[in-house]
C-alpha cells in the first residue's frame, strides 16, 4: 500500500537551474524511488549521489529505515552507482509491460 507520492527536483549552477529529479513513494517498509534522472550535461558530477543522500536524510527524518528501487539489467552503470553507495541486490525478475515488452530488472535495497 502506497502512503504518499513525491517528487524532488534538484537544482545547481549559477542560476540554480533544475538538473535532476527523483520520484518516490512511501510505504510501510520504507521509501521506494524510481525515475531518478540527471540532465545529460550534468551527469558524472555526483549529482545522482547527492540526490540519493538527500533522499536518505529524508528517510531518516521520517523514520523509514529502508530505501528500495528497481534497476534495468541493461543499465549496469546505474547498478554500479547504487552498489557504490551501499545498495545491494536482493531479487531479480522480469517485468511484463502492458505493451508486451519484457524488461529484466534487479531489485536493490539499502538499510539506513
Amino acid at each position: 500500500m502506497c502512503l504518499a507520492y513525491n517528487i524532488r527536483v534538484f537544482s545547481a549552477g549559477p542560476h540554480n537551474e533544475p538538473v535532476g529529479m527523483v520520484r518516490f513513494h512511501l510505504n510501510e517498509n520504507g521509501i521506494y524511488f524510481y525515475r531518478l534522472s540527471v540532465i545529460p550535461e550534468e551527469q558524472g558530477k555526483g549529482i545522482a549521489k547527492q540526490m540519493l543522500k538527500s533522499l536518505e536524510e529524508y528517510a531518516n527524518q521520517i523514520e523509514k529505515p529502508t530505501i528500495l528501487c528497481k534497476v534495468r539489467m541493461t543499465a549496469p552503470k546505474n547498478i554500479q552507482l547504487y552498489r557504490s553507495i551501499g545498495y545491494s541486490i536482493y531479487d531479480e525478475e522480469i517485468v511484463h509491460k502492458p505493451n508486451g515488452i519484457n524488461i529484466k530488472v534487479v531489485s536493490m535495497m539499502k538499510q539506513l
Side-chain angles (χ1 to χ4, degrees), residues 79-96:
I79 294 169
Q80 181 54 40
L81 167 70
Y82 300 142
R83 279 188 164 154
S84 76
I85 57 173
Y87 286 77
S88 58
I89 294 172
Y90 69 90
D91 195 16
E92 293 183 14
E93 66 181 297
I94 297 175
V95 175
H96 305 282

Side-chain angles (χ1 to χ4, degrees), residues 4-90:
Y5 287 96
N6 296 279
I7 297 175
R8 288 211 168 181
V9 175
F10 295 82
S11 301
H15 303 290
N16 211 29
E17 308 95 10
V19 295
M21 57 90 57
V22 61
R23 293 182 186 181
F24 63 95
H25 68 257
L26 308 177
N27 61 33
E28 297 85 14
N29 301 321
I31 293 179
Y32 173 77
F33 77 86
Y34 53 102
R35 303 280 183 177
L36 185 145
S37 61
V38 176
I39 60 174
E41 54 271 16
E42 297 296 328
Q43 292 176 3
K45 298 180 180 179
I47 292 170
K49 286 182 181 179
Q50 291 173 359
M51 292 167 60
L52 290 169
K53 182 175 179 172
S54 174
L55 198 58
E56 290 172 14
E57 290 168 357
Y58 176 64
N60 282 325
Q61 288 173 7
I62 62 170
E63 300 180 357
K64 295 288 185 182
T66 307
I67 299 185
L68 306 139
C69 67
K70 290 187 180 189
V71 185
R72 292 181 320 272
M73 292 177 79
T74 57
K77 289 173 104 177
N78 294 355
I79 294 169
Q80 181 54 40
L81 167 70
Y82 300 142
R83 279 188 164 154
S84 76
I85 57 173
Y87 286 77
S88 58
I89 294 172
Y90 69 90

